[in-house]
Amino acid sequence: MSGADVSVVLAHGAWADGSSWSKVIAALQKKGVTTIAAPLPLTSLSDDVLALDRASERVEGQLVLVGHAYAGAVIGSSRNQRVKSLVYVAGLAPAEGETVADVFYRAPPHPQAPKLAPDRHGLAPFRCVCHGVCSGRNS
């Protein structure tokens, strides 16, 4: 695969959004590689896989899916036939039949780790972190 026949689709982790990939997108596009960030709703693994697959429809050619942290489970769950490579950036890689929750609870959590408990609507509240690239800020 060369940069001319491949598109890269980046999937953000649970405490981020697509803007966390802005420097990666710029660097790859500068080299002629079509690159986008998939906006994941973070409502469920299946919703996130659907969002990844929908975003992948916006680009052509073979796909390299890149998942950061939680999104490792998302890219590993895609069944898109154009996927040629998966790249895990500190990503979760559940074993066959294992859930994301299983991965999180393989070992006791660190005492300062955030609590991943659903709210009364069954959703886990995530705080997005934009790594200094939101609204042009560099903090």
Side-chain angles (χ1 to χ4, degrees):
M1 284 188 293
S2 70
D5 64 358
V6 67
S7 294
V8 176
V9 181
L10 305 160
H12 60 82
W15 283 275
D17 61 23
S19 69
S20 62
W21 291 109
S22 64
K23 291 181 182 180
V24 174
I25 292 169
L28 289 172
Q29 287 179 342
K30 187 174 181 178
K31 294 192 178 283
V33 179
T34 300
T35 308
I36 63 169
L40 305 181
L42 302 174
T43 50
S44 70
L45 179 60
S46 60
D47 287 350
D48 294 340
V49 173
L50 286 173
L52 175 71
D53 290 341
R54 280 192 305 269
S56 298
E57 293 174 2
R58 299 186 351 232
V59 295
E60 296 179 6
Q62 297 178 331
L63 299 175
V64 174
L65 301 182
V66 181
H68 172 250
Y70 157 75
V74 177
I75 66 170
S77 297
S78 176
R79 297 296 176 244
N80 188 314
Q81 295 301 306
R82 294 189 301 139
V83 174
K84 298 302 175 192
S85 297
L86 300 175
V87 178
Y88 293 84
V89 179
L92 295 179
E96 189 70 34
E98 190 175 32
T99 68
V100 170
D102 293 337
V103 174
F104 278 120
Y105 299 111
R106 285 179 184 160
H110 186 279
Q112 294 179 337
K115 306 297 182 231
L116 298 176
D119 63 15
R120 65 185 178 96
H121 303 287
L123 301 173
F126 293 114
R127 181 179 65 88
C128 288
V129 178
C130 60
H131 305 286
V133 295
C134 298
S135 305
R137 293 181 305 214
N138 289 321
S139 54

